[in-house]
Amino acid sequence: MSTTKIKTTQLWGKNKDDLKKQLVDLKTELAQLRTQKVAGGANSKLTKIHDLRKSVARVLTVINATQRSQLRIFYKNKKYLPLDLRPKKTRAMRRRLTKHEASIVSEKQKKRQMHFPQRKYAVKVRWVFI
């Protein structure tokens, strides 16, 4: 049983099976400490429970982060990304037209621009000296 705090830098090098095994160990130790606390153990158990909870969170964070990075690699050149891997932005920005969609001109609009182009006016400048 390890009651020391787990450093995240130690976890990044481990593979998924080691992380899962460590997670199970931490959870069993946490369950034992909680039963000891209920049975009337010392107050020092509370800090150990706190450290164990944080260690479990660190292990889960590393597992999730590596899984997401592997998914990003898998979906890199695919047409669609899963929703949780897409950039969040705002709802309005996600629904905005893409640059390609905004640049498309319909046939009717092309004809209208061809037959009725924007008029060009030249303005004569008069110099007035006072």
Side-chain angles (χ1 to χ4, degrees):
M1 299 283 175
S2 65
T3 54
T4 59
K5 291 183 184 178
I6 294 176
K7 299 270 193 291
T8 316
T9 51
Q10 299 168 350
L11 298 174
W12 287 113
K14 294 185 177 181
N15 62 2
K16 190 175 180 181
D17 296 330
D18 293 341
L19 289 171
K20 292 275 188 188
K21 184 176 174 289
Q22 189 166 11
L23 185 65
V24 170
D25 293 342
L26 287 170
K27 283 187 175 182
T28 53
E29 187 177 352
L30 184 60
Q32 288 174 355
L33 279 175
R34 282 183 173 151
T35 53
Q36 288 174 6
K37 178 187 152 194
V38 170
N43 283 343
S44 63
K45 301 273 190 274
L46 292 174
T47 56
K48 288 181 183 177
I49 289 174
H50 178 267
D51 292 345
L52 277 174
R53 285 180 59 233
K54 299 304 173 186
S55 297
V56 168
R58 284 186 190 99
V59 171
L60 285 172
T61 301
V62 170
I63 290 172
N64 289 333
T66 52
Q67 189 175 17
R68 283 176 67 87
S69 66
Q70 292 298 319
L71 283 172
R72 282 192 193 282
I73 292 167
F74 177 74
Y75 283 105
K76 187 169 186 175
N77 295 321
K78 302 278 193 284
K79 186 174 181 183
Y80 297 111
L81 265 178
L83 293 178
D84 59 335
L85 294 180
R86 293 180 193 171
K88 176 80 167 124
K89 299 184 180 175
T90 62
R91 191 166 188 266
M93 287 174 76
R94 290 194 302 268
R95 277 149 182 74
R96 189 183 297 162
L97 292 177
T98 63
K99 288 182 181 177
H100 174 70
E101 290 168 342
S103 68
I104 293 174
V105 181
S106 67
E107 283 297 318
K108 187 174 184 179
Q109 192 66 29
K110 284 179 190 172
K111 287 178 184 174
R112 185 177 288 159
Q113 287 172 353
M114 186 171 58
H115 294 299
F116 304 102
Q118 181 72 42
R119 300 275 174 95
K120 296 183 181 110
Y121 295 102
V123 179
K124 185 176 181 180
V125 179
R126 301 168 96 190
W127 292 96
V128 180
F129 294 102
I130 299 175

